[in-house]
Amino acid sequence: MAIHLRAHAFAANPLRTLPASSSVSPSAAADALRSLLDPAAAAADAAGPHPHHSKILPLRRGRPLARSPDAPPAAAPGWRLAWLPPSRVPGVPPDAFVFLGAHGEGDGKEAAAYWAVEVGEGEGARVGVAGDGSAFVDLRTLMMATDWSDKDAMGELAIAGHARALLEWHSTAKFCGACGARAVPAEAGRRKQCSNESCKRRIYPRVDPVVIMLVIDKENDRALLSRQSRFVPRMWSCLAGFIEPGESLEEAVRRETWEETAIEVGQVIYHSSQPWPVGPNTMPCQLMVGFFAYAKSLEIHVDKKELEDAQWHSREEIKKALTFAEYEKAQKTNALKVNQICKGAERGQSLSADLKVESGEPAPMFVPGPFAIAHHLISSWAFEGAPKLPSSFSNL
């Protein structure tokens, strides 16, 4: 059975989809935050409340602060981001905060501006209160624990992904690439600017586009799946690779497929895209761009420097992999793990250990879960068939 999401994990950020007219401006939000962080100004402002609330999401080493209250016995616990007032993050300079978005008053909500900030080990201890059910949790673990049918939880995950990507970019983009001077935050942390008066170059968050493709053997009704050495046992996925300068998306699909498997690709059809902030810290703003690609040759020659293996799999084999992989069970197990972490314990089984058939035997193979664009490329082909090209299609 195919799993259909409203949007990919880390997409559909609710703070990005608000109409501009109902939003608090970044400059007004920044001014309000500065006054709240300044003890003297905060005391002076006590008599007159601010027109909106300021909510802070602390992260420590890229891990957002989350809460996970206990759930009824028959249900898995959920999680939510642990938003704090500015008073709970003392001693952090205003320029360390990055603006995530805001909403105006309405629909039963008070106006609020949302911020993220990276806190150190000592600061992290101060912002968390022992026994309050909160902890800094790895973003990938939160992703695995998220109930993909819960729109609000998926929205929280998207906000956390945006926060991590933006803060990781700030931590690496410390200097101007043109003159080497220090780069300072601007526009509430949404960009940086060179501090050299003779340069003043504007620096924007870096996005690393990656093509990810399901290569299809249309004649024999098969799809090409691959394994990398870093994968957990029995997991297979799509081919993927970074786009090179001066290269179109379609060219990148063909080049990467040829380099890794020696399969020649003809037609390339776009499927969807997904932000992916759970990659390496050096590339926190990856954008996965998904495609179906039709093979023109079938003999595989694996580049062992890139892949451990690559094989053609029939539609029925892939359907079984999608059926046997008990993604709901894995999600519930990881939700319990997050709950345990928030209570101060770090226990829990891995995803691989939870993907078993009902008999208890390990599934022969499985593909990434619904949180990854690879799952939806594979699932849509397996259950819905090969995409049809429009008559006006021009494949460059």
Side-chain angles (χ1 to χ4, degrees), residues 154-235:
M154 293 292 280
E156 296 266 295
L157 183 66
I159 293 170
H162 177 206
R164 180 181 188 266
L166 197 52
L167 287 170
E168 291 285 359
W169 172 74
H170 272 276
S171 72
T172 57
K174 294 181 178 180
F175 301 96
C176 174
C179 71
R182 182 167 293 276
V184 296
E187 295 183 13
R190 295 186 300 171
R191 69 172 179 88
K192 285 191 166 185
Q193 184 154 331
C194 177
S195 59
N196 183 352
E197 287 295 322
S198 63
C199 180
K200 288 188 175 181
R201 173 168 292 204
R202 291 180 170 224
I203 306 163
Y204 291 92
R206 166 180 165 177
V207 176
D208 294 290
V210 179
V211 290
I212 179 166
M213 47 278 184
L214 183 67
V215 181
I216 299 167
D217 171 11
K218 190 173 182 179
E219 184 176 338
N220 297 296
D221 202 29
R222 302 182 299 177
L224 182 67
L225 299 181
S226 65
R227 274 191 52 76
Q228 295 184 25
S229 58
R230 62 181 177 83
F231 285 4
V232 295
R234 300 177 286 109
M235 189 176 88

Side-chain angles (χ1 to χ4, degrees), residues 207-285:
V207 176
D208 294 290
V210 179
V211 290
I212 179 166
M213 47 278 184
L214 183 67
V215 181
I216 299 167
D217 171 11
K218 190 173 182 179
E219 184 176 338
N220 297 296
D221 202 29
R222 302 182 299 177
L224 182 67
L225 299 181
S226 65
R227 274 191 52 76
Q228 295 184 25
S229 58
R230 62 181 177 83
F231 285 4
V232 295
R234 300 177 286 109
M235 189 176 88
W236 294 74
S237 189
C238 300
L239 298 174
F242 287 97
I243 298 168
E244 294 185 351
E247 187 175 50
S248 73
L249 294 167
E250 293 86 357
E251 288 170 335
V253 168
R254 297 186 182 103
R255 175 186 54 77
E256 283 287 344
T257 304
W258 175 259
E259 288 178 354
E260 296 185 353
T261 64
I263 297 293
E264 187 179 358
V265 162
Q267 293 172 330
V268 176
I269 305 174
Y270 174 76
H271 176 269
S272 60
S273 63
Q274 178 187 25
W276 192 247
V278 289
N281 291 352
T282 54
M283 290 177 287
C285 303

Side-chain angles (χ1 to χ4, degrees), residues 119-131:
V119 297
E121 295 291 337
E123 294 164 332
R126 289 204 304 272
V127 301
V129 177

